[in-house]
Amino acid sequence: MQTVVILDFGSQYSQLIARRIRELQVRSELLPGDAPVAEIRAHSPAALIFAGGPASVLAPGSPRPDPAVFELGVPILGICYGLQLMGHLLGGRVAPANDREYGPARLEVDAASALFDGWEVEEEVWMSHGDRLEELPPGFRVVARNPSSPVAAMEDPERRFFGVQFHPEVSHTPKGMRLLKNFVHRIAGCPSNWTMQAYAERQVAALRERIGEHDRVLLALSGGVDSSVTAALLQRAIGDRLVCVFVDNGLLRKDEARQVEERYAARMGLNLVCVDAAEQFLDALAGVVDPEQKRKIIGRAFVKIFEEEAKRLGGFRFLGQGTLYPDVIESVSFRGPAVTIKSHHNVGGLPEKMKLELVEPLRELFKDEVRALGAELGLDDELLWRQPFPGPGLAVRVLGALTRERLDILREADAIVAQEIKAAGLYRSIWQSFAVLLPVQTVGVMGDERTYDNVIAVRAVNSVDAMTADWARLPHELLARLSSRIINEVAGVNRVVYDISSKPPATIEWE
């Protein structure tokens, strides 16, 4: 399958570029900007995109691609820093701009350029740069300009090298998707074959080939969308050689263990084994406050349990997980461009040596793609539209040290949040909504008596893929009901607050 490889030089929009290409039904892969050309070639790229980045190409040590990428013979599109990088490395001249551009800008466009097919002579774009290209490299010509950026876009049609100073991937560039479509379909010749039907067929075939005719897979089934789709995909590939293990780690939501057992054994007909390991997890987490430590402890405990179950159930070679692309991006820091935001218990929290080989068939998908794949596999809406739940469970929603009492308080509050969000008809439209127990106590008055009790924070966000998120503007009447019910029905809580932080700068989870 033809792939567009995106080289990441640190832009906050690099993942967005990957998503935009997939929206054009073309496979995309995100690699570090300094990836060796051999690694890039291994992905069989039909085209390359140089993403933006915060550095200046004039600064010593600024990130650079392997020079051999220009010899791959595939079209290249440089975006923002990518344009400057291309210009600088191919013989042009970059200099600090007299007038920096941040925000909307108007461009004069050469609509005869294949890159700008469908654009008007003047168009609005989104800029974010301090340097600019002042002299073209040999073989290029200017195809867009404005007073602040004399080279707002350039092209070398013979080599199929293009560069734009603006960001076509953001919604603030109204015709940005048309430009990306021109590059991917018209210039690079990529067909629209990245569909979930095609992905399912390829993954089933790949899973059968890798797992073989006799080996079995032990799947870590959490009950969420990701592991559910993973189970359906593996079940289609290997049938009853899939054994799903659900671990009750004592960090689940109210009644979740019972619901999972009923749903997966009865509805999906999965070979399901339930393990009660609450005591083991809570003992290991006793007194632990640091969220990274929590995640790593939970990751190690999960792996140990699955290895024990594999041995008890007769031997497995593979461990299945519902790891997604955002998990990988956030957990594995590309050299220089991206920092590790947090370890995911099923990525960064795994020990270096495992006794089982990992099978992660969703590893290159975003959440909305997983739901589309699940629909293709025949899963019902109740499963597909279940809101995301973190792998470490309530361990990262009870801030500070964990106790059974604090977990019980959060379970009751979280159940009320879910009930009220569903009653308001907002559960499916909101990406995630939940309660967080804060490590503080506040003074209150209940029944004419002074209280000194816990604080619950309510969090609700809208997102597409969890890479970015904005807080949901819940109706005030709904917030009032949430506060009233939690304070009146959950013993030990006397205050409720609402989190109005977006991602970035915050993350969706508090830990």
Side-chain angles (χ1 to χ4, degrees), residues 83-84 93-101 105-110 116 125 127 129-137 140-155 163-166:
L83 171 140
Q84 297 165 15
R93 185 170 66 87
V94 176
N98 293 326
D99 299 313
R100 297 184 177 188
E101 291 184 290
R106 299 287 297 181
L107 293 187
E108 178 187 337
V109 174
D110 182 352
F116 290 102
V125 298
M127 294 279 199
H129 66 101
D131 292 345
R132 70 183 188 183
L133 185 64
E134 295 195 341
E135 290 184 12
L136 288 169
F140 283 82
R141 69 186 185 94
V142 177
V143 289
R145 63 191 61 78
N146 73 8
S148 298
S149 297
V151 185
M154 65 179 186
E155 69 175 16
V164 294
Q165 185 59 73
F166 55 90

Side-chain angles (χ1 to χ4, degrees), residues 115 123 128 131 155 157 203 209 231 273 275 277 312 361 433 448 458:
L115 193 64
E123 291 284 1
S128 179
D131 292 345
E155 69 175 16
Q203 278 297 318
E209 180 178 358
V273 176
V275 179
R312 186 183 68 83
S433 52
D448 294 327
V458 175

Side-chain angles (χ1 to χ4, degrees), residues 421 424 426 430 472-482 498:
I421 292 292
L426 298 174
I430 291 174
R473 274 62 172 176
L474 298 182
H476 290 180
E477 295 79 6
L478 174 56
L479 291 173
R481 286 197 302 275
L482 287 171
Y498 187 53

Side-chain angles (χ1 to χ4, degrees), residues 404-483:
R404 288 165 178 75
E405 179 186 8
R406 288 172 62 75
L407 284 165
D408 288 340
I409 289 173
L410 181 59
R411 282 193 188 94
E412 295 300 323
D414 189 72
I416 291 171
V417 172
Q419 292 165 10
E420 290 296 334
I421 292 292
K422 289 177 180 177
L426 298 174
Y427 185 81
R428 181 164 170 170
S429 62
I430 291 174
W431 175 266
Q432 220 166 335
S433 52
F434 55 90
V436 179
L437 181 60
L438 305 188
V440 296
Q441 291 179 298
T442 65
V443 173
V445 179
M446 302 177 76
D448 294 327
E449 294 185 359
R450 178 187 184 274
T451 62
Y452 191 59
D453 279 331
N454 295 287
V455 180
I456 288 288
V458 175
R459 178 76 156 144
V461 299
N462 293 315
S463 182
V464 174
D465 52 27
M467 298 306 301
T468 61
D470 193 18
W471 61 279
R473 274 62 172 176
L474 298 182
H476 290 180
E477 295 79 6
L478 174 56
L479 291 173
R481 286 197 302 275
L482 287 171
S483 177

Side-chain angles (χ1 to χ4, degrees), residues 246-251 274-284 301-302 305 308 404:
F246 173 74
V247 177
D248 182 355
N249 59 5
L251 306 170
C274 296
V275 179
D276 184 355
E279 292 296 325
Q280 181 176 335
F281 276 83
L282 294 179
D283 288 347
F302 266 120
I305 289 169
E308 290 173 350
R404 288 165 178 75

